[in-house]
Each structure stands twice: as C-alpha cells, then as structure tokens.
Amino acid sequence: MRTSVKSLTAAVAVVTSAVLIAACGSSSGSSGAAAAGDKPFAGQTLIFGGGQADANESIMGAMAAKFKEETGADVQFIGGSAPDNLSKLLAAKGRSTPPFDAVFLDSTTQPAAAQAGLIQQVDYKTALQSYSQFPGTGFPTQGYGPGYFLIRLGTCYNTEVYKQLGLNPPTSLDDWFDPKLQGRVALPDTTNFYWGAAMPAIAKNYNIPLDDPAALMSKFRDIHAQTLFTSSSDAQQRLQTGQVAMTTLTDGRCLALKLAGQPVDLAPVNVVADGKTYPYINFVDTVDIVTGSPKTELAKKFIDMYTSSTALMPYIQKTGYVPARQDVYAEAKQDPKLAPYYGAFDSATDLYTPDMTAFLAHQAAWIDAWNNNVKQGG
C-alpha cells in the first residue's frame, strides 16, 4: 500500500522492520509436523518487500492463516515503499540472493524495475488461477506483475474551508489554479509518488509535450503553494485542520478521512485526453516476483492470494480503495458503506492511466524544471 514518500530517482534510506507472520496451520487435530508433511512448500518462508505497515498488517493478517494452511509456508514481511523497494533491488543487483522473493511496486516504479531486469517476466495467464479476473489494465506493464489496487488520484478538499471561501466544490484540474486558493494549496514534491503520477496526466490535459515541461511550471509557480509535501500524512494533517483548502490525495487516503468523519471530500480532476474526459488519474499498486528468487512457484501462490478478497476486503472497508480484480470489486460494490464512494466508476478504463514509460524518459528534465521554477520561485 501507500507509504508517504515515494521516489523513482533517489534511493531513500529507511530502516525496515521484518515481521514474521507465522500463522497457524490446519485447524484439524493433526500435529504441526504431520500437517506440514502434506503441504507443497512446508518449512519455506517467502520474503515479501511490502509497503506501509498498517496496510500490510491488515492484508497479511487477513490471509496469513489461509496461506499457511494451503502451502505450509510462512511469510516474512519487510516494510518499505515502492521506491524503497526499487532502490533495494537495484543495490542488490548481481548478488546471488535478492532481498525479496516477491515485491510491492506500483505503476510509477514497475517499468523501471522491469527495464533493469529486477523482476521476472512471467506468463501470468498460466501462473495465476485468478488471471481471468484481471482486466487488461490490471497488468500495467505487459508481462509483469498484476495490480491489487487501482489508485484514483483526485482533488481532496476541506468542505468547510471551501464554504468559508465561497467556492464551489472543485470539478477539474483548472480548480487547482484558482487565484482564490493562492497560499491554501498543498502540492506534492518530486519525492512523493503523487508528483510522478500527476505530472504526465496534467501535461496531457493541457497539451504540454513531455519534452517541454517549462510550459507548465509557471502555472504551478503562481499557485504559491503553502507547502510542497514529501509526506502524504503532512498533507492530510494540513487539510483536515483547515490549514490548506485542497491538495491531491489518493482515494484511499482521502476517503479514509471522510469515513472517519473529517470535513473532507474527494473530487474528480476530469483529465481531458484524446477527446475523452477521465474523472481521476489512475495508477496501480502491483506485486511482482523478484529476479533470482528460488521461490518462484511459491510466489505465484502468494500473488494469487494477496490479490484476493480474503486478503484485501478488510483494508478496503477502511479506505474505499478499488481492488484490481473484478471479482473482488464486485463484492466491494455490494457493501452499502462503500458503494457511494465508487459511484458510477466501473473499471480502470474509466480512469486516465499515464504512460509512465514515456514519462520516465523525460523525468529528470521535469524534476529540474520543478526545482528551478516551483521550489525556488514558489
């Protein structure tokens, strides 16, 4: 799941903690040793490079017992973030043993990991029993791991502050640049993953070529953002206390605040691209098998279960995230508490998915333009 800091361009030094999820085995009266003898992966431990602790504790806690029961294996979870995980894989490249067997990435980092040969290209059509439940967009990088959450990036705004300012709820990207909001906006900095996901979508909306980022920087500079956040938690805190009127947040982060009774709401950004309007920017949380892992077959079992209703529904009920698998999403939409947060949204084809591989080729220039114009001039 989401951590507060993500970056494609810099290794982020983190101290990770390993949590060994040693779930109980079969509920029958058989001894542990006898039960283990019937399991294909008995005695093995799969190392998973995951994301933030609360999401992974929820997901792994929900699936650990069943995974142990079906495979005989345990899972060792190492917390981090998508860019942290990418950095660790890069640092270990060429070593005999990779740091993980399976890894959490996302659609902003997965292309780089694939290009560097850090994750395995797999025929997931035969590898996953659940393959038919993924739409085409469920695999953001062809031949690599599936998504488990479709992340909707939109405008998260404080409803009370908007009323105080006499503003209607935001309905498009144009609202980010409303002069009445100068000094009351929190924008992601380049080290936050929202930035990398949003920039190519905003460029597309305003017909800005990826090789000419300067044309967009003056618009951002004129916002006079109150803060350029690296931590999404900082943006959330400023938003719910009314220090800022709006920011950009994922659906899960914004709706979790709303579900908790905070005066915030999620509004669409309505990206216009190639004659179609997309309500939200899409990127995907993914799970991959690491190159060099000796536990490829066990990792396939892990991915099947990690993307399942058993694993994801408890966390979805807390956040309103959209599961990538169609069977899990169909179940989530039946929950009366969650249904209003999905609205008419049907599938990832209703969201704008940036071409992250194309953006990656120009990302360094975008970061320079941002630092030289928005950071120094904002």
Side-chain angles (χ1 to χ4, degrees):
M1 229 21 16
R2 300 284 117 199
T3 56
S4 59
V5 179
K6 291 192 173 185
S7 168
L8 290 175
T9 59
V12 181
V14 296
V15 177
T16 59
S17 60
V19 179
L20 181 63
I21 301 179
C24 60
S26 170
S27 58
S28 70
S30 303
S31 69
D38 299 329
K39 309 303 180 184
F41 304 99
Q44 295 189 30
T45 297
L46 181 136
I47 301 175
F48 176 54
Q52 69 187 40
D54 67 327
N56 280 286
E57 286 172 5
S58 174
I59 295 170
M60 296 300 298
M63 66 174 273
K66 187 175 181 180
F67 188 72
K68 177 81 168 183
E69 180 182 355
E70 292 187 2
T71 66
D74 294 311
V75 178
Q76 181 182 1
F77 161 62
I78 299 178
S81 69
D84 295 339
N85 293 339
L86 177 60
S87 296
K88 292 170 187 174
L89 291 175
L90 285 167
K93 187 176 182 180
R95 298 178 189 171
S96 58
T97 304
F100 318 121
D101 298 302
V103 64
F104 151 62
L105 296 168
D106 59 28
S107 53
T108 69
T109 52
Q110 190 185 48
Q115 288 178 9
L118 303 173
I119 50 179
Q120 293 186 33
Q121 193 166 18
V122 174
D123 180 5
Y124 281 100
K125 187 173 183 178
T126 59
L128 298 182
Q129 293 181 358
S130 57
Y131 178 83
S132 64
Q133 296 297 331
F134 290 95
T137 48
F139 292 86
T141 306
Q142 188 174 5
Y144 294 91
Y148 56 97
F149 282 139
L150 305 178
I151 307 298
R152 296 175 294 174
L153 190 64
T155 302
C156 195
Y157 68 103
N158 186 302
T159 55
E160 292 180 353
V161 174
Y162 260 67
K163 288 178 183 178
Q164 293 168 8
L165 296 175
L167 296 173
N168 293 322
T171 59
S172 73
L173 285 169
D174 291 340
D175 292 297
W176 290 21
F177 306 102
D178 188 328
K180 293 181 180 179
L181 291 176
Q182 286 188 358
R184 301 296 298 274
V185 174
L187 292 176
D189 204 358
T190 57
T191 53
N192 185 283
F193 82 96
Y194 299 167
W195 186 91
M199 288 301 117
I202 297 170
K204 186 71 172 180
N205 182 80
Y206 291 111
N207 296 311
I208 304 297
L210 292 180
D211 60 0
D212 186 22
L216 191 58
M217 292 303 125
S218 61
K219 290 179 70 68
F220 280 109
R221 185 175 61 245
D222 292 343
I223 290 176
H224 299 295
Q226 183 182 115
T227 184
L228 301 177
F229 63 86
T230 58
S231 166
S232 304
S233 297
D234 176 42
Q236 286 178 272
Q237 179 65 24
R238 290 172 185 261
L239 184 70
Q240 65 190 66
T241 59
Q243 292 176 265
V244 299
M246 62 83 68
T247 186
T248 181
L249 286 177
T250 63
D251 50 356
R253 280 190 175 271
C254 187
L255 294 177
L257 292 175
K258 183 176 180 178
L259 286 165
Q262 295 295 327
V264 303
D265 206 353
L266 181 69
V269 289
N270 287 320
V271 175
V272 179
D274 302 321
K276 182 176 178 179
T277 300
Y278 300 85
Y280 297 100
I281 300 166
N282 176 50
F283 56 96
V284 185
D285 280 346
T286 63
V287 58
D288 275 276
I289 303 172
V290 176
T291 299
S293 168
K295 300 169 185 172
T296 296
E297 295 305 313
L298 178 58
K300 292 175 184 177
K301 299 287 187 184
F302 174 80
I303 291 173
D304 245 335
M305 191 173 293
Y306 195 80
T307 59
S308 71
S309 172
T310 296
L312 298 182
M313 278 305 298
Y315 195 66
I316 290 170
Q317 289 166 345
K318 296 177 183 177
T319 62
Y321 275 126
V322 179
R325 275 176 48 169
Q326 293 172 325
D327 57 336
V328 184
Y329 185 45
E331 180 181 342
K333 287 194 293 185
Q334 296 304 309
D335 187 322
K337 182 180 179 182
L338 294 172
Y341 300 111
Y342 296 140
F345 172 76
D346 185 53
S347 73
T349 57
D350 297 330
L351 307 177
Y352 180 72
T353 303
D355 185 343
M356 295 309 304
T357 301
F359 182 66
L360 191 61
H362 302 282
Q363 188 180 28
W366 277 76
I367 291 174
D368 287 343
W370 180 272
N371 290 339
N372 293 332
N373 291 277
V374 182
K375 261 191 170 179
Q376 296 183 11

